[in-house]
Every structure is written in structure tokens, then in C-alpha cells.
Amino acid sequence: MNAIGVNGIEKSYGEVHALKGVSFDVPQGELFGIIGPDGAGKTTLFRILTTLILADGGTAQVVGLDVVNDYKEIRKKVGYMPGRFSLYQDLTVEENLNFFATVFNTTVQENYDLIKDIYVQIEPFKKRRAGALSGGMKQKLALCCALIHKPEVLFLDEPTTGVDPVSRKEFWDMLGRLKKQGIAIIVSTPYMDEASLCDSIALINEGLFLTIDTPAGIIDSYPETIWAVEGSRMPQILTRLREVPQVKTAFAFGDVHHVTVEPDFSPDVLSEILHKEGFPDARVEAIKPNTEDAYMLLAGK
């Protein structure tokens, strides 16, 4: 039995079509990532699967239960960490955790082994109000509260947005350990670099899944020749690149530009063009694509 089974889910808000027939499955014990920008439909999908809103069309099951007919049972079997910090700011760390345990008719002690590795990092601050915690500490507390009733499926909606790089790494390390305990984890993120940390990923844009595969599978299926271009006066280089007939696409990627080109075009020829156009320090080299390259290609079709 899959942890999650979704078939043709649709949802609109007035004229905004948030989800356009999304379908996918998540096996039990898998870490499944949904990768895409703000407004792509990630939160709407999570709210449907956690029985907070109804879909306009399609069907969905969580741990074999229908999200409409069996919503009460599903709520006992899932943990949900929304994008915004939603715990009680005026309660302490300890009080928040005890409250959520009580809601699910359990105790912190009963499932302490599940949250131990996470909770020990915030236990020194257990008497501090949740609203006074740092971003990384709030994140860990929210995850503890989502896990305290030992869910079979864990939904994490953009859990690392706005969190420092060290806390982001620690968080993904924690997810890796949780997965080993058989919990299915479905996580959404706008950060393309987090895709490689998932077992499988779906790339989402404007309510549609562009593709579903392993991170390596998505990169291996990238069909274009891709180069990195760097030098001084990068904005001007980008403008010139987009004027070269053999260049299909050119986008800024951090400190470099990624360009896709016609198959018979060579890096030496592009370098020569840029040098003649007043960019003598421009450097061009062939590179391997990443998830963001694949996303840009699929979203542009």
C-alpha cells in the first residue's frame, strides 16, 4: 500500500486554477519532494491531503484512506508542519509539546524515542516561550509537535524557508533519520538544491506537475547541451548571449550564466564572439545540468 495516492486532483480559487489534474503516488517510507516556486500550488495540495480543504475534482488517499470520507482517521495518522510557524507563541517549548501530545491522546514520554534526536537540541530552552525562539529552534519545535503522535505520513510545507544554511542542513539530516523509521515524508520547497536530498521529486509549476522522477533521473534525461559563462560585466554578457543565434536560452545562475546551445556550436566560438564584443575575460565551459536547469527547460515548454 502506498502512503499517498493522488489521481487528477484539481482546485480553483475563483479564476485562479491552483491545481490542474495532479496525480502521483508516494510509497511508504519514501522521502518525496515537491519542488517549485511560490504560487505553484504546493500549499494547496498539502491542505487537501491533510483534509483541511476539499478538492474540486479528482481523488486522493492517505495511508489507504479517502481524504473526504475518512478525514477523521487521516488526521490521527498524519503530521503536518505548515509553512508559517503555527504553534502557540505565548506557550513555552515544553507546554506546546505537551499540548499537542494531549490533543492526540498520547504523552511526550510515550513517543519520546521518535523525537529524541531533535528535542535534545531545544530541551535547554524548554521553559522559553516559542515566540522567543530563533528560526532554527522554531523549526525543530514544530517538527517535534508534528511527530509527537507517531504519524505514518509527515507533511512538511517549505520547512526550511527563511532558515539559515546550517539549520537547513541539520533539518535535512533529521529527515534522513526519520525516514529510516519507516515514516513517509512529503516535503515541499522552493530550493532546487534540496531536490538531491529526496528519493523522488516532482517539479511543479502553475498547478501542474512537469515531471516525476528521481533527482538523478531528471538530470540524466536533460536533453540539451549546456555551458557556464562567466566574466566581468555579467549583466551585459547576458544581454549579448541572448543575441547569439546559436544560443537557445541564457539565464543567470548565481555568479555564472547557464546557456543552452545548438549541438554543433563550440565553446571556443562563443568565447571568440564575446571577446570580440568587448568581454575579453569571458570564460565558457561545458557543465553538467542541475535540477534548476531541468526545471527551467520544462517550465519554458
Side-chain angles (χ1 to χ4, degrees):
M1 180 182 69
N2 286 323
I4 299 169
V6 176
N7 184 27
I9 285 290
E10 297 189 10
K11 181 67 179 178
S12 296
Y13 301 100
E15 296 181 357
V16 178
H17 206 169
L19 293 173
K20 304 171 183 175
V22 169
S23 301
F24 68 104
D25 297 313
V26 179
Q28 192 65 41
E30 181 168 280
L31 177 51
F32 186 89
I34 299 180
I35 318 296
D38 292 343
K42 304 186 299 295
T43 296
T44 295
L45 178 59
F46 275 41
R47 295 181 70 194
I48 291 171
L49 294 178
T50 54
T51 76
L52 298 178
I53 61 173
L54 295 174
D56 296 331
T59 60
Q61 293 186 331
V62 178
V63 293
L65 301 171
D66 183 81
V67 294
V68 178
N69 298 323
D70 306 313
Y71 71 94
K72 290 183 179 179
E73 284 301 309
I74 288 176
R75 291 178 181 180
K76 298 174 185 177
K77 296 177 180 291
V78 304
Y80 178 41
M81 184 173 161
R84 290 186 177 182
F85 184 69
S86 58
L87 304 185
Y88 293 96
Q89 307 263 5
D90 290 337
L91 296 184
T92 66
V93 167
E94 190 175 47
E95 288 168 343
N96 266 289
L97 198 54
N98 284 324
F99 171 77
F100 279 92
T102 302
V103 166
F104 289 100
N105 295 314
T106 187
T107 64
V108 175
Q109 292 73 25
E110 185 174 350
N111 294 320
Y112 185 72
D113 286 346
L114 187 62
I115 66 167
K116 180 180 178 181
D117 289 346
I118 310 164
Y119 187 64
V120 292
Q121 300 178 48
I122 58 175
E123 193 168 17
F125 312 101
K126 64 182 181 181
K127 299 299 183 183
R128 183 176 297 181
R129 290 186 178 184
L133 297 173
S134 67
M137 291 294 107
K138 285 181 178 179
Q139 178 197 56
K140 292 180 177 70
L141 174 58
L143 183 56
C144 285
C145 291
L147 286 167
I148 196 57
H149 60 297
K150 201 172 184 179
E152 295 180 40
V153 184
L154 182 62
F155 293 89
L156 306 173
D157 191 7
E158 297 195 0
T160 58
T161 299
V163 178
D164 65 271
V166 173
S167 295
R168 279 178 64 191
K169 183 181 183 305
E170 288 179 349
F171 191 84
W172 280 94
D173 288 343
M174 289 186 288
L175 296 188
R177 292 193 292 271
L178 288 172
K179 190 189 75 168
K180 292 179 181 178
Q181 301 190 43
I183 299 173
I185 302 171
I186 177 170
V187 56
S188 71
T189 177
Y191 300 126
M192 298 289 169
D193 61 313
E194 294 184 342
S196 63
L197 304 172
C198 302
D199 296 318
S200 298
I201 58 173
L203 303 183
I204 187 172
N205 185 53
E206 297 181 350
L208 286 170
F209 275 8
L210 305 176
T211 188
I212 303 173
D213 204 339
T214 64
I218 287 176
I219 292 172
D220 289 345
S221 63
Y222 189 80
E224 300 289 344
T225 301
I226 186 165
W227 300 339
V229 180
E230 58 182 322
S232 57
R233 300 167 57 211
M234 291 293 278
Q236 292 82 0
I237 288 179
L238 184 60
T239 299
R240 183 64 187 98
L241 285 170
R242 290 173 174 169
E243 296 170 348
V244 176
Q246 296 90 341
V247 172
K248 295 181 177 180
T249 62
F251 297 103
F253 274 71
D255 296 332
V256 302
H257 299 321
H258 284 196
V259 300
T260 59
V261 298
E262 297 293 346
D264 57 350
F265 200 37
S266 77
D268 291 340
V269 173
L270 181 57
S271 293
E272 185 177 347
I273 291 173
L274 293 174
H275 293 167
K276 288 181 178 179
E277 292 289 334
F279 305 104
D281 63 344
R283 298 176 298 280
V284 182
E285 64 175 345
I287 59 170
K288 292 183 178 180
N290 57 32
T291 306
E292 192 165 357
D293 291 313
Y295 185 91
M296 296 295 288
L297 177 69
L298 292 167
K301 289 184 176 179

mmCIF file of all heavy atoms in Angstrom, residues 189-214:
data_model
loop_
_atom_site.group_PDB
_atom_site.id
_atom_site.type_symbol
_atom_site.label_atom_id
_atom_site.label_comp_id
_atom_site.label_asym_id
_atom_site.label_seq_id
_atom_site.Cartn_x
_atom_site.Cartn_y
_atom_site.Cartn_z
ATOM 1 N N THR A 189 9.429 22.515 -1.268
ATOM 2 C CA THR A 189 10.499 23.502 -1.113
ATOM 3 C C THR A 189 10.671 24.297 -2.407
ATOM 4 O O THR A 189 10.477 23.757 -3.495
ATOM 5 C CB THR A 189 11.834 22.831 -0.737
ATOM 6 O OG1 THR A 189 12.869 23.823 -0.662
ATOM 7 C CG2 THR A 189 12.230 21.782 -1.744
ATOM 8 N N PRO A 190 11.036 25.579 -2.288
ATOM 9 C CA PRO A 190 11.389 26.346 -3.482
ATOM 10 C C PRO A 190 12.874 26.242 -3.812
ATOM 11 O O PRO A 190 13.323 26.770 -4.823
ATOM 12 C CB PRO A 190 11.033 27.782 -3.072
ATOM 13 C CG PRO A 190 11.309 27.812 -1.604
ATOM 14 C CD PRO A 190 10.966 26.429 -1.086
ATOM 15 N N TYR A 191 13.640 25.550 -2.932
ATOM 16 C CA TYR A 191 15.095 25.464 -3.105
ATOM 17 C C TYR A 191 15.453 24.259 -3.959
ATOM 18 O O TYR A 191 15.312 23.107 -3.530
ATOM 19 C CB TYR A 191 15.795 25.365 -1.749
ATOM 20 C CG TYR A 191 15.548 26.544 -0.846
ATOM 21 C CD1 TYR A 191 15.052 26.360 0.451
ATOM 22 C CD2 TYR A 191 15.817 27.844 -1.259
ATOM 23 C CE1 TYR A 191 14.829 27.445 1.292
ATOM 24 C CE2 TYR A 191 15.597 28.930 -0.429
ATOM 25 C CZ TYR A 191 15.100 28.723 0.853
ATOM 26 O OH TYR A 191 14.880 29.804 1.667
ATOM 27 N N MET A 192 15.939 24.519 -5.164
ATOM 28 C CA MET A 192 16.267 23.437 -6.083
ATOM 29 C C MET A 192 17.401 22.557 -5.560
ATOM 30 O O MET A 192 17.467 21.362 -5.861
ATOM 31 C CB MET A 192 16.648 24.007 -7.448
ATOM 32 C CG MET A 192 15.531 24.781 -8.130
ATOM 33 S SD MET A 192 14.200 23.703 -8.698
ATOM 34 C CE MET A 192 12.945 24.917 -9.138
ATOM 35 N N ASP A 193 18.317 23.125 -4.767
ATOM 36 C CA ASP A 193 19.439 22.333 -4.286
ATOM 37 C C ASP A 193 19.003 21.266 -3.287
ATOM 38 O O ASP A 193 19.738 20.314 -3.034
ATOM 39 C CB ASP A 193 20.506 23.246 -3.650
ATOM 40 C CG ASP A 193 19.971 24.013 -2.452
ATOM 41 O OD1 ASP A 193 18.869 24.585 -2.546
ATOM 42 O OD2 ASP A 193 20.657 24.049 -1.416
ATOM 43 N N GLU A 194 17.792 21.398 -2.723
ATOM 44 C CA GLU A 194 17.305 20.390 -1.787
ATOM 45 C C GLU A 194 16.719 19.177 -2.495
ATOM 46 O O GLU A 194 16.463 18.150 -1.869
ATOM 47 C CB GLU A 194 16.267 21.007 -0.849
ATOM 48 C CG GLU A 194 16.863 22.058 0.070
ATOM 49 C CD GLU A 194 15.880 22.631 1.077
ATOM 50 O OE1 GLU A 194 14.659 22.486 0.874
ATOM 51 O OE2 GLU A 194 16.335 23.226 2.072
ATOM 52 N N ALA A 195 16.532 19.277 -3.805
ATOM 53 C CA ALA A 195 15.953 18.173 -4.564
ATOM 54 C C ALA A 195 16.802 16.914 -4.468
ATOM 55 O O ALA A 195 16.286 15.798 -4.379
ATOM 56 C CB ALA A 195 15.781 18.571 -6.029
ATOM 57 N N SER A 196 18.119 17.087 -4.471
ATOM 58 C CA SER A 196 19.024 15.933 -4.461
ATOM 59 C C SER A 196 18.947 15.150 -3.155
ATOM 60 O O SER A 196 19.456 14.023 -3.084
ATOM 61 C CB SER A 196 20.465 16.390 -4.701
ATOM 62 O OG SER A 196 20.904 17.239 -3.650
ATOM 63 N N LEU A 197 18.321 15.711 -2.128
ATOM 64 C CA LEU A 197 18.231 15.055 -0.830
ATOM 65 C C LEU A 197 16.998 14.157 -0.723
ATOM 66 O O LEU A 197 16.817 13.477 0.284
ATOM 67 C CB LEU A 197 18.199 16.115 0.289
ATOM 68 C CG LEU A 197 19.385 17.091 0.283
ATOM 69 C CD1 LEU A 197 19.159 18.204 1.300
ATOM 70 C CD2 LEU A 197 20.690 16.364 0.574
ATOM 71 N N CYS A 198 16.155 14.148 -1.755
ATOM 72 C CA CYS A 198 14.925 13.358 -1.764
ATOM 73 C C CYS A 198 15.118 12.056 -2.543
ATOM 74 O O CYS A 198 15.991 11.959 -3.403
ATOM 75 C CB CYS A 198 13.781 14.151 -2.402
ATOM 76 S SG CYS A 198 13.424 15.727 -1.600
ATOM 77 N N ASP A 199 14.292 11.059 -2.240
ATOM 78 C CA ASP A 199 14.306 9.809 -3.010
ATOM 79 C C ASP A 199 13.714 10.031 -4.401
ATOM 80 O O ASP A 199 14.246 9.568 -5.401
ATOM 81 C CB ASP A 199 13.501 8.728 -2.280
ATOM 82 C CG ASP A 199 14.116 8.360 -0.946
ATOM 83 O OD1 ASP A 199 15.353 8.242 -0.873
ATOM 84 O OD2 ASP A 199 13.365 8.205 0.035
ATOM 85 N N SER A 200 12.587 10.730 -4.435
ATOM 86 C CA SER A 200 11.932 11.088 -5.696
ATOM 87 C C SER A 200 11.444 12.519 -5.580
ATOM 88 O O SER A 200 11.191 13.010 -4.476
ATOM 89 C CB SER A 200 10.736 10.165 -5.987
ATOM 90 O OG SER A 200 11.152 8.823 -6.130
ATOM 91 N N ILE A 201 11.295 13.184 -6.727
ATOM 92 C CA ILE A 201 10.820 14.555 -6.714
ATOM 93 C C ILE A 201 9.815 14.778 -7.828
ATOM 94 O O ILE A 201 9.836 14.098 -8.853
ATOM 95 C CB ILE A 201 11.968 15.585 -6.849
ATOM 96 C CG1 ILE A 201 12.763 15.356 -8.151
ATOM 97 C CG2 ILE A 201 12.866 15.569 -5.639
ATOM 98 C CD1 ILE A 201 13.800 16.438 -8.423
ATOM 99 N N ALA A 202 8.933 15.734 -7.587
ATOM 100 C CA ALA A 202 8.035 16.238 -8.618
ATOM 101 C C ALA A 202 8.336 17.715 -8.802
ATOM 102 O O ALA A 202 8.441 18.453 -7.814
ATOM 103 C CB ALA A 202 6.579 16.040 -8.209
ATOM 104 N N LEU A 203 8.506 18.148 -10.036
ATOM 105 C CA LEU A 203 8.690 19.559 -10.331
ATOM 106 C C LEU A 203 7.322 20.131 -10.677
ATOM 107 O O LEU A 203 6.640 19.626 -11.576
ATOM 108 C CB LEU A 203 9.661 19.748 -11.500
ATOM 109 C CG LEU A 203 11.056 19.133 -11.328
ATOM 110 C CD1 LEU A 203 11.930 19.452 -12.535
ATOM 111 C CD2 LEU A 203 11.722 19.634 -10.047
ATOM 112 N N ILE A 204 6.905 21.172 -9.942
ATOM 113 C CA ILE A 204 5.568 21.737 -10.113
ATOM 114 C C ILE A 204 5.651 23.183 -10.575
ATOM 115 O O ILE A 204 6.507 23.942 -10.122
ATOM 116 C CB ILE A 204 4.754 21.619 -8.794
ATOM 117 C CG1 ILE A 204 3.303 22.055 -9.005
ATOM 118 C CG2 ILE A 204 5.410 22.408 -7.670
ATOM 119 C CD1 ILE A 204 2.404 21.791 -7.806
ATOM 120 N N ASN A 205 4.747 23.552 -11.474
ATOM 121 C CA ASN A 205 4.684 24.933 -11.956
ATOM 122 C C ASN A 205 3.257 25.250 -12.369
ATOM 123 O O ASN A 205 2.643 24.503 -13.132
ATOM 124 C CB ASN A 205 5.623 25.145 -13.154
ATOM 125 C CG ASN A 205 5.667 26.594 -13.605
ATOM 126 O OD1 ASN A 205 5.922 27.487 -12.806
ATOM 127 N ND2 ASN A 205 5.413 26.832 -14.887
ATOM 128 N N GLU A 206 2.707 26.319 -11.809
ATOM 129 C CA GLU A 206 1.365 26.789 -12.139
ATOM 130 C C GLU A 206 0.329 25.670 -12.058
ATOM 131 O O GLU A 206 -0.513 25.504 -12.940
ATOM 132 C CB GLU A 206 1.345 27.441 -13.527
ATOM 133 C CG GLU A 206 2.216 28.687 -13.600
ATOM 134 C CD GLU A 206 2.179 29.365 -14.968
ATOM 135 O OE1 GLU A 206 1.636 28.764 -15.916
ATOM 136 O OE2 GLU A 206 2.682 30.493 -15.079
ATOM 137 N N GLY A 207 0.409 24.880 -10.975
ATOM 138 C CA GLY A 207 -0.604 23.861 -10.729
ATOM 139 C C GLY A 207 -0.440 22.569 -11.481
ATOM 140 O O GLY A 207 -1.301 21.683 -11.399
ATOM 141 N N LEU A 208 0.659 22.415 -12.217
ATOM 142 C CA LEU A 208 0.915 21.196 -12.990
ATOM 143 C C LEU A 208 2.220 20.548 -12.558
ATOM 144 O O LEU A 208 3.206 21.248 -12.293
ATOM 145 C CB LEU A 208 0.998 21.513 -14.483
ATOM 146 C CG LEU A 208 -0.299 21.817 -15.229
ATOM 147 C CD1 LEU A 208 0.017 22.340 -16.623
ATOM 148 C CD2 LEU A 208 -1.181 20.579 -15.321
ATOM 149 N N PHE A 209 2.246 19.227 -12.507
ATOM 150 C CA PHE A 209 3.496 18.503 -12.317
ATOM 151 C C PHE A 209 4.185 18.404 -13.682
ATOM 152 O O PHE A 209 3.637 17.831 -14.625
ATOM 153 C CB PHE A 209 3.238 17.104 -11.770
ATOM 154 C CG PHE A 209 3.110 17.055 -10.261
ATOM 155 C CD1 PHE A 209 3.069 18.213 -9.502
ATOM 156 C CD2 PHE A 209 3.038 15.837 -9.599
ATOM 157 C CE1 PHE A 209 2.961 18.172 -8.119
ATOM 158 C CE2 PHE A 209 2.932 15.776 -8.216
ATOM 159 C CZ PHE A 209 2.884 16.955 -7.478
ATOM 160 N N LEU A 210 5.375 18.963 -13.773
ATOM 161 C CA LEU A 210 6.123 18.933 -15.034
ATOM 162 C C LEU A 210 6.747 17.565 -15.270
ATOM 163 O O LEU A 210 6.841 17.107 -16.401
ATOM 164 C CB LEU A 210 7.210 20.006 -15.009
ATOM 165 C CG LEU A 210 6.760 21.438 -14.717
ATOM 166 C CD1 LEU A 210 7.960 22.368 -14.619
ATOM 167 C CD2 LEU A 210 5.793 21.910 -15.790
ATOM 168 N N THR A 211 7.213 16.935 -14.208
ATOM 169 C CA THR A 211 7.800 15.593 -14.295
ATOM 170 C C THR A 211 7.921 15.020 -12.891
ATOM 171 O O THR A 211 7.939 15.768 -11.902
ATOM 172 C CB THR A 211 9.194 15.629 -14.965
ATOM 173 O OG1 THR A 211 9.648 14.294 -15.195
ATOM 174 C CG2 THR A 211 10.210 16.359 -14.099
ATOM 175 N N ILE A 212 7.981 13.693 -12.798
ATOM 176 C CA ILE A 212 8.223 12.987 -11.533
ATOM 177 C C ILE A 212 9.293 11.941 -11.792
ATOM 178 O O ILE A 212 9.163 11.125 -12.703
ATOM 179 C CB ILE A 212 6.957 12.297 -10.993
ATOM 180 C CG1 ILE A 212 5.807 13.312 -10.807
ATOM 181 C CG2 ILE A 212 7.252 11.602 -9.669
ATOM 182 C CD1 ILE A 212 4.491 12.657 -10.431
ATOM 183 N N ASP A 213 10.350 11.965 -11.012
ATOM 184 C CA ASP A 213 11.441 11.009 -11.203
ATOM 185 C C ASP A 213 12.380 11.123 -10.012
ATOM 186 O O ASP A 213 12.170 11.946 -9.114
ATOM 187 C CB ASP A 213 12.195 11.313 -12.500
ATOM 188 C CG ASP A 213 12.917 10.103 -13.072
ATOM 189 O OD1 ASP A 213 13.183 9.143 -12.308
ATOM 190 O OD2 ASP A 213 13.242 10.115 -14.276
ATOM 191 N N THR A 214 13.414 10.313 -10.004
ATOM 192 C CA THR A 214 14.483 10.510 -9.029
ATOM 193 C C THR A 214 15.268 11.758 -9.426
ATOM 194 O O THR A 214 15.255 12.157 -10.599
ATOM 195 C CB THR A 214 15.425 9.307 -9.003
ATOM 196 O OG1 THR A 214 16.069 9.204 -10.288
ATOM 197 C CG2 THR A 214 14.672 8.018 -8.694
#
